[in-house]
Amino acid sequence: MEQSFKTDIIDKEEKYQHFLPDWELLISGETDETAVLANTCAALREAFGFFWTGFYLVKNGELVLGPFQGDVACYRIRKGRGVCGTAWAEEKTQVVPDVEQFPGHIACSSLSKSEIVVPMIAHGEVLGVLDIDSDELATFDETDRIYLEKMVDTLVKNIYNKQ
Ligand code: SME
């Protein structure tokens, strides 16, 4: 399989609109959690040039590092801790324009400046989170939230066969 997610598109909304069908094609027909999450990180990073893309998955009451692309990261995050643990506790996407202003932010890399974390929720249960870091301030906004939440909905349906 050879598929490139790089484009010359600059407008963010247009970029997501171009990306989504290609990504849906990429993950269609595969239901293995690790495989699909791994390719999703790779595709997002390639298309948008994000500094770090990855998943933390809820296992035995903690978030545990899952498939990711980027620098090595912390293994475990407790509920309510950091941006990821807050997204889990509040069951709500966290858009953080400046990680230094987020109380309790967990710095896996000092290069990370802004972050978005989207919880994966099925039937009121958080299964994990999608975490994306940027090495620039204020990278993420409502557009990212809307499209990444759409992606996470699709993931929950496809992999976990829920919702
Ligand atoms: N910054 C996150 C920790 C995970 S890393 O960014 C990969 C947090 O505060 O939860």
Side-chain angles (χ1 to χ4, degrees):
M1 167 172 49
E2 194 173 330
Q3 197 174 350
S4 172
F5 287 87
K6 279 204 181 80
T7 67
D8 297 330
I9 301 168
I10 293 165
D11 179 73
K12 189 190 277 187
E13 180 131 25
E14 214 182 302
K15 212 167 183 169
Y16 275 109
Q17 280 171 6
H18 185 268
F19 174 77
L20 275 177
D22 287 352
W23 168 74
E24 278 168 12
L25 196 63
L26 173 74
I27 66 158
S28 68
E30 182 52 70
T31 55
D32 181 84
E33 181 187 48
T34 306
V36 170
L37 298 186
N39 260 348
T40 297
C41 304
L44 272 171
R45 196 163 188 242
E46 190 187 351
F48 293 88
F50 295 134
F51 175 68
W52 197 92
T53 55
F55 291 87
Y56 280 87
L57 302 173
V58 175
K59 291 183 182 173
N60 299 320
E62 274 183 314
L63 283 171
V64 182
L65 184 62
F68 72 94
Q69 291 266 314
D71 293 356
V72 295
C74 22
Y75 283 114
R76 289 169 191 271
I77 298 172
R78 278 185 278 158
K79 196 171 187 176
R81 295 296 174 90
V83 187
C84 293
T86 301
W88 177 15
E90 293 184 3
E91 302 186 3
K92 193 170 170 283
T93 298
Q94 307 292 310
V95 179
V96 182
D98 179 354
V99 294
E100 287 189 10
Q101 303 302 317
F102 189 96
H105 166 255
I106 301 163
C108 291
S109 165
S110 58
L111 295 175
S112 173
K113 299 270 189 298
S114 58
E115 183 164 1
I116 184 166
V117 178
V118 183
M120 299 196 285
I121 304 173
H123 304 301
E125 183 195 353
V126 177
L127 307 173
V129 300
L130 164 63
D131 178 14
I132 305 181
D133 286 26
S134 166
D135 57 2
E136 288 172 16
L137 288 166
T139 294
F140 307 103
D141 56 22
E142 272 300 288
T143 302
D144 299 279
R145 186 184 65 73
I146 289 164
Y147 284 98
L148 294 173
E149 285 182 355
K150 264 189 203 172
M151 285 181 66
V152 162
D153 276 355
T154 304
L155 285 174
V156 170
K157 280 185 204 127
N158 280 30
I159 315 178
Y160 304 105
N161 202 15
K162 288 179 176 171
Q163 234 178 35

